[in-house]
Amino acid sequence: MTLLWILLATTIAGVGSVLVAALLTGGVMQRYTQGMLSFAAGALLSTAFLHLLPEALEAGGDAHHLLAWLLGGLVFFFVLDKAELYHHGHEHGHDHGHDHDHGHDHSHGAAHHNGGAALAIQVPGASNANAGAPTAEVNLKSGSWVVILGDSVHAFGDGILIATAFLADWHLGVLVTLAVAAHEVPHHMGDLAVVRVIAQSARVAVMRVSMAGAVTALGGLVGYMFLAKVTSFLPVVLMPASSSFIYVALADLIPQLQQHHGSRQTVSQLVWLGLGIVVILVASGAAHSH
């Protein structure tokens, strides 16, 4: 029964989040993308500090030993990020040329380096100091698969994380699934924007990003197969799982939000951040009441 819940949860978090992102992409909802990033940061931090870490410490084991695993996990994800194997940036779906790249022209409306390669796509009407230059720095057809590959690596890790949470506690599994989905939706909105330009088809973009999302279920299956037999390792595994949430929130999401300095934007970000925390707290109370 636990495996069934894991597969269902990983499918919702992986593929379901892509479908939700597709529905929200475009129109008025794009105004709220920064708010959704704040919401995701709040949800991730709340889940990590109020649920994953306490669950690991209460499950047994030396606190110093477990916190050493937490530190090691943060360093590990930093190294992966530097190697561009774990970067979970959301900026490729935004007009980041105005936000944090003032030294460049705006000829690149979308950029992504999940897989170690950059895409530069000409935006109609944008200024371009190098008139007549190629509009893409890499082959666009293969470029979309760079996005998919990078997403698949992260999705696999998310699947293992969800499986770990369900094996530790059913309620924790639900909360982790909610937190994963919360930060996957704005991320997939950016992916869809990039892949749609490359593939020149919204349907193809959704299909390709969904392929990466489906890897979440594979990660859940692998996590279940290994951890169900060695439950004594669950507290240890929960620590790097927590570090994953903390790293994504503090090293990826929040730095992007800090690029907007207006007081109105700051208040909006704080409201969305608080909303993410509150939603996890309410969901936690509802889950434990059943």
Side-chain angles (χ1 to χ4, degrees):
M1 190 64 179
T2 301
L3 177 59
L4 180 62
W5 280 111
I6 290 173
L7 293 177
L8 178 62
T10 50
T11 300
I12 292 174
V15 180
S17 60
V18 177
L19 300 180
V20 172
L23 292 174
L24 298 180
T25 301
V28 68
M29 286 306 300
Q30 282 202 342
R31 298 184 198 175
Y32 300 102
T33 304
Q34 289 294 317
M36 293 174 67
L37 294 181
S38 298
F39 177 89
L44 291 176
L45 291 174
S46 178
T47 303
F49 284 106
L50 301 181
H51 299 286
L52 285 172
L53 291 176
E55 181 71 26
L57 294 172
E58 291 171 5
D62 179 68
H64 292 85
H65 179 70
L66 292 177
L67 291 175
W69 276 99
L70 176 67
L71 175 61
L74 291 171
V75 174
F76 174 71
F77 289 121
F78 171 72
V79 172
L80 284 185
D81 196 354
K82 296 296 287 185
E84 297 185 346
L85 294 174
Y86 193 75
H87 179 77
H88 209 218
H90 304 73
E91 72 277 1
H92 50 252
H94 314 304
D95 188 12
H96 57 282
H98 294 283
D99 296 332
H100 62 276
D101 199 10
H102 301 288
H104 295 80
D105 62 42
H106 304 308
S107 63
H108 58 292
H112 196 293
H113 53 85
N114 252 339
L119 304 177
I121 300 170
Q122 183 72 24
V123 177
S127 61
N128 187 1
N130 300 314
T135 58
E137 295 175 356
V138 297
N139 183 277
L140 294 183
K141 185 176 181 180
S142 62
S144 64
W145 295 107
V146 171
V147 175
I148 303 307
L149 178 61
D151 281 353
S152 298
V153 173
H154 196 104
F156 187 82
D158 284 342
I160 294 178
L161 192 156
I162 292 173
T164 303
F166 269 102
L167 288 170
D169 180 71
W170 184 88
H171 305 104
L172 183 62
V174 172
L175 296 176
V176 168
T177 301
L178 179 60
V180 169
H183 87 276
E184 286 297 338
V185 169
H187 172 68
H188 287 319
M189 289 176 70
D191 289 339
L192 289 170
V194 173
V195 179
R196 180 171 181 173
V197 172
I198 298 170
Q200 298 183 342
S201 170
R203 180 178 297 181
V204 172
V206 172
M207 289 179 59
R208 290 183 180 179
V209 178
S210 294
M211 289 172 57
V215 177
T216 309
L218 177 61
L221 178 61
V222 171
Y224 175 81
M225 291 174 60
F226 281 94
L227 294 173
K229 299 178 180 178
V230 283
T231 54
S232 59
F233 283 100
L234 280 178
V236 172
V237 178
L238 284 171
M239 300 309 283
S242 302
S243 66
S244 170
F245 275 22
I246 295 170
Y247 185 85
V248 169
L250 297 183
D252 187 1
L253 300 181
I254 289 181
Q256 293 182 62
L257 299 172
Q258 290 174 328
Q259 294 158 9
H260 302 268
H261 302 293
S263 58
R264 184 175 179 181
Q265 293 168 325
T266 299
V267 171
S268 175
Q269 290 169 0
L270 289 174
V271 170
W272 280 95
L273 183 76
L275 182 60
I277 295 173
V278 169
V279 166
I280 292 297
L281 291 176
V282 171
S284 174
H288 284 87
S289 65
H290 290 85

